[in-house]
């Protein structure tokens, strides 16, 4: 994934963890506004989430953050 979305994912995970604790879950939709204003980026993240890693719809934010920071 692009660096800009990786940074955004980490920032959003950090925000959710700070607000709700280490057990909070996120979906890949958490990283986008309610508008589909960048379909290519949405598909890039969806491909990483669904096809590449076969993740469930909701995953712990700590797990996603670690995966992104580890560049997986």
């Amino acid at each position: 994934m692009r660096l800009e979305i990786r940074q955004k994912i980490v920032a959003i995970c950090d925000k959710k963890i700070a607000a709700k604790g280490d057990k909070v879950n996120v979906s890949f939709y958490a990283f986008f506004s309610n508008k589909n204003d960048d379909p290519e980026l949405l598909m890039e993240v969806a491909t990483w989430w669904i096809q590449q890693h076969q993740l469930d719809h909701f995953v712990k934010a700590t797990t996603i953050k670690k995966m992104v920071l580890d560049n997986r």
Side-chain angles (χ1 to χ4, degrees), residues 15-71:
K15 182 178 176 182
K16 297 227 179 239
I17 292 165
K20 297 190 177 188
D22 288 347
K23 296 185 189 236
V24 68
N25 290 323
V26 293
S27 79
F28 67 86
Y29 290 113
F31 313 117
F32 298 93
S33 63
N34 288 336
K35 295 182 197 173
N36 188 8
D37 55 357
D38 192 344
E40 284 184 26
L41 186 58
L42 178 67
M43 289 305 298
E44 188 175 333
V45 175
T47 299
W48 179 87
W49 192 285
I50 297 167
Q51 289 183 324
Q52 185 176 345
H53 294 289
Q54 300 178 351
L55 298 171
D56 290 336
H57 186 78
F58 288 98
V59 178
K60 289 194 183 315
T62 54
T63 301
I64 297 303
K65 179 181 172 182
K66 182 171 178 8
M67 289 174 74
V68 170
L69 290 174
D70 289 349
N71 207 21

